[in-house]
Amino acid sequence: MNTKKIGVFTGLATAVGVALGSTAFVSLGKGAGYGGQWFVYAIMLVGIVYLCFALSACELNDILPSCKGNAGRLLARAFGPSISIVLNIMTYFIISVVAGSAETIFVSRVISKTMLKGVPYQVIAVGLLVIVLAINLVGVDMFAKVQNFVFVFLVITLFLLAIVGSFGLSTNVSMVTDNVPSLSGVSGVLELSSWAYYLFLAIDMVLPLACTMKNPKKNIRISLIGGILMLMVLYSLLSYGLYRYLPLEILSVDSMPNVTFGKALFGKFGYYWMIVAVIFAAVSTENSLVLAPSVDLQGCANSGLFPKVMGKTNRFGSAYPWIIMISICQIVICSCFGNMDLDLLIMVACGFYIAVFILFHVATIKFRIIYPNANRNKKYILFNIPQIIGIISLLYIEYTVFKDLKVLLVDIIVGCIVLIYAMIWCKYGLKKEPFKASMEYEIEEVGKETEKEVSEKKNVSAFVHKKKVGTEGHIITISREFGSLGRPIAEKVAEKLNYQLYDPQLIEMAASKLNKDVEDLLAYDDQKVIKLNIYGSKYCGMAYPLGFGDYIKQRKLFEIQSEIIKDIATKENAVIVGRAADYVLTKAGKKDILRIHITGSYEHRYQNSIKELELSEVEAKEHIRIIDKAREEFYKQITGESFESTTFRDVVINTDLLSMDYIVDMICDMAQFKFDK
């Protein structure tokens, strides 16, 4: 089935919703209780720090689009798989489990004390977690609907509360005029920054949703930066309103400051209204804390960073192993450990979370130095100032976190345990160097892509407007099995003969230019690709040779591409890769054609996939299995013949024992013999 992609509104709802939890209100109350109006400055300061992170995160997402916003992949390409594994477990998994549990326990206690008196909060907590689990197991569509609805309710509610409070518009109670904050000035603002930091915690959970988002480069940037700006305004107004209407000594110890605030401004109605808002905030946060980390961790599993079984999805495209694991851990904590020190665990996770943000900045600077021509938005570079500000600020916040020696000790112990696991898995499971950034080459390709895209667009434009010549061109078609290196061979043949190279991507560009109706068939449906366990791979499109539409649309796409292939044959000498061009031109009666099929043994193609295409052992096996099957089905559907059939091939070349240069020379010699006789 085709999974509907989420839009920028859901992205914004996720970014804001995951941060706008009930426990965030506790931090807001404590910050306002200790700092009064000075807490507003701390919020703005930390908001700027998050904006600096957003610029780095969006740039990495731009120059490494195959990572699909997956933090694990982004960091692995900069620092190696071990660092990525440690930070993903300690942030995305631990944060989702601990913060989600804390959020659920908090709201369950509120419900137990107000709406369902006498019902144990553990029962309420488990019920809420089961509902969220069910929502996320049925796919991103249901997630989006719930998240959008909750987001609208929360934003309207909290902005109304913030405006009434900050501008002194309440007629229910008088403002407090003798509030004196215990923390003030520059030193007070810096000390309050740790409370303010928690207000935005996990807003980056929107990044993994790049794989399910329309126009991810643009919409991730809007969602992340827009969410931070919205929260800066909302939290600042709420904080100032709390300072104006509630005594600071009460506010600093209040476990439900938003409920107390609502009751002060609007009386009994405000009290119950805020209880509903607390429930909605918990649902919004928990919903995001289950889905987004699951998508990120599932993407890491498909890159080999975790066991293969953790990369599976159900028929809705949901990363069910991670969704279930996170939910079970939360249910256990809420049922059995509700009285444990969750604040300590959250701060432990925060220590690693801050480290992730720092490494995002470092990776951004690193790639700017190594790959200055990468496909990034130059106007956001700003002389690395955002990255430098971000690193310095985050180091200070990290220092405030680690002032609690218990947090530092737990981080060191748990970090070492996870690091040992990561190194063992990298060496024996992934079979890669633990600290080698072996996949940096993708950046270089992105850097070159700008020139390549310009060249391809010029070729497409020239092809579309080129008039037919009197004589037909000489055509070499090359079909190939995955890992046989047919594509590099085709490139070298075209270069040596001075022929134009047309690969599937270029034909698709021309198809889009000639018929705008087929563009929706050519966009990757990431939920389908996720199911194939080659999510994020630059080869994933090979698994869908006819696009992602229904049968009628697929046939329409093939007919358009077939016309383009036949038109190419009347205009110029060319090497055409894939797309059943051998069948198309044979049926069209083309005479000057050399039809080549490139194959190889499984073991040879497996080794090529690892050494030449730089896939992991797990990825190589999955790519060969999935793409071979896709090509077999495609060729059978179009031609009625098996993909190994020689009916529409002149020569079959096994690359096991022949060098690439020898094969290229052989094809060129055959072409010269056939076309010059």
Side-chain angles (χ1 to χ4, degrees), residues 245-382:
Y245 276 98
L246 296 180
L248 298 188
E249 61 274 12
I250 295 177
L251 186 58
S252 61
V253 296
D254 195 338
S255 62
M256 296 189 297
N258 52 329
V259 176
T260 305
F261 191 34
K263 184 177 181 180
L265 296 184
F266 301 107
K268 193 173 183 179
F269 168 76
Y271 173 77
Y272 287 106
W273 183 21
M274 284 303 107
I275 290 175
V276 174
V278 166
I279 297 172
F280 273 58
V283 170
S284 176
T285 299
E286 176 62 14
N287 202 30
S288 299
L289 283 174
V290 170
L291 179 75
S294 298
V295 172
D296 188 273
L297 292 164
Q298 185 254 355
C300 292
N302 283 328
S303 290
L305 298 179
F306 296 110
K308 177 183 173 182
V309 67
M310 302 307 294
K312 294 187 177 229
T313 58
N314 61 16
R315 65 190 182 94
F316 299 105
S318 298
Y320 72 89
W322 290 106
I323 291 174
I324 292 174
M325 181 181 289
I326 290 171
S327 298
I328 289 175
C329 290
Q330 291 176 339
I331 288 172
V332 170
I333 290 176
C334 291
S335 302
C336 306
F337 304 101
N339 296 320
M340 69 186 298
D341 190 357
L342 291 177
D343 287 343
L344 174 64
L345 293 181
I346 290 174
M347 294 309 291
V348 167
C350 280
F352 281 93
Y353 216 89
I354 295 168
V356 170
F357 278 31
I358 293 172
L359 289 181
F360 264 81
H361 288 309
V362 175
T364 301
I365 296 174
K366 175 181 178 179
F367 289 141
R368 283 176 180 175
I369 295 172
I370 299 175
Y371 303 108
N373 297 319
N375 190 20
R376 59 173 59 88
N377 194 323
K378 298 293 192 295
K379 67 182 180 181
Y380 294 118
I381 294 179
L382 302 174

Side-chain angles (χ1 to χ4, degrees), residues 50 58 161 183 203 365 529 586 627:
Y50 270 87
C58 291
L161 196 70
L183 296 174
I203 194 172
I365 296 174
V529 176
T586 301
I627 295 174

Side-chain angles (χ1 to χ4, degrees), residues 30 53 61 74 165 174 176 200 221 338 343 349 381 422 493 535 541 653:
K30 289 186 180 297
F53 163 77
N61 188 51
L74 292 170
S174 300
V176 178
F200 298 86
R221 181 173 278 107
D343 287 343
I381 294 179
V493 169
Y535 160 78
I653 301 176

